Amino acid sequence: MNRRDFLQSVAVSSLALSGSVLAANEGKALSYNLLGTDVSGKKVQLKDYAGKTVLVSFFTFDCPVCTNDLKLMREFYVGNSNKKFILLGVNIDKNKKELDEYNEVTTLAYPKSQRFPSVWRNDPAHKDNFGIINTTPTHFVLNKQHQLVFKREGAFQGEDWDNLWLSLS
């Protein structure tokens, strides 16, 4: 078999395999779940936001990229919360004290209408199915059924804002 025939057969096999994987998963889109407690002790469940587009942002207190993204996301949240949109912060710091400090600062810096729910992922009672987070920040945009629209590891990009905006309709 020559190189061209080999590459063509590999490509055809890959397409057939990916098609069968897609067919096996068709109609079985993963629906995300989250159960946590915000800083005031209130239970936060993703299912409480059924029918809303949700931006779930995993962040750490000392991450400059996270700080910048959350500032921009807060502005988007304020401008679009009336369009069935919610921003949900999930802190992944090892120590809850860092989240508490972050929330003290945001409570003083932002009016209540600009604050979004935040939970601490390392709380023993916290449960979610977002998997391992290796990059901060990591953002998940979920549709109204809480299925993944897209995921961004690292800073939110220009096209992400467009895609987020389009997901609201």
Side-chain angles (χ1 to χ4, degrees):
M1 178 182 286
N2 67 30
R3 181 178 176 194
R4 181 177 176 191
D5 291 339
F6 173 75
L7 291 174
Q8 194 172 29
S9 69
V10 168
V12 168
S13 297
S14 295
L15 285 173
L17 179 60
S18 66
S20 62
V21 169
L22 287 173
N25 288 328
E26 192 173 323
K28 298 180 182 177
L30 173 65
S31 187
Y32 285 88
N33 296 302
L34 182 143
L35 172 64
T37 305
D38 73 8
V39 291
S40 64
K42 179 183 171 199
K43 291 282 183 204
V44 174
Q45 297 185 62
L46 195 54
K47 72 179 186 176
D48 292 340
Y49 307 114
K52 293 185 178 191
T53 298
V54 182
L55 171 54
V56 181
S57 294
F58 289 83
F59 71 97
T60 59
F61 180 68
D62 61 348
C63 165
V65 175
C66 301
T67 301
N68 186 57
D69 272 6
L70 287 175
K71 177 185 178 293
L72 296 172
M73 289 173 182
R74 181 182 313 280
E75 291 171 12
F76 188 90
Y77 171 68
V78 169
N80 294 286
S81 59
N82 63 342
K83 294 181 178 141
K84 297 199 175 218
F85 171 74
I86 191 76
L87 171 58
L88 178 59
V90 181
N91 180 272
I92 56 176
D93 283 308
K94 299 284 185 226
N95 184 338
K96 186 172 182 295
K97 180 180 177 226
E98 293 165 345
L99 175 61
D100 293 338
E101 289 173 0
Y102 169 81
N103 282 309
E104 275 183 46
V105 169
T106 58
T107 299
L108 295 172
Y110 300 105
K112 191 172 186 170
S113 64
Q114 294 182 15
R115 290 184 232 141
F116 52 87
S118 294
V119 299
W120 184 48
R121 193 178 202 201
N122 290 315
D123 184 318
H126 181 93
K127 293 180 171 90
D128 70 50
N129 63 340
F130 286 89
I132 297 169
I133 304 298
N134 292 316
T135 305
T136 54
T138 295
H139 311 289
F140 293 80
V141 174
L142 308 178
N143 65 17
K144 293 173 175 145
Q145 294 77 39
H146 299 154
Q147 298 164 336
L148 185 65
V149 175
F150 71 91
K151 174 183 175 181
R152 170 65 65 197
E153 293 179 314
F156 227 54
Q157 303 297 308
E159 66 269 13
D160 296 338
W161 292 109
D162 295 338
N163 291 329
L164 177 57
W165 177 257
L166 290 172
S167 73
L168 297 180
S169 56

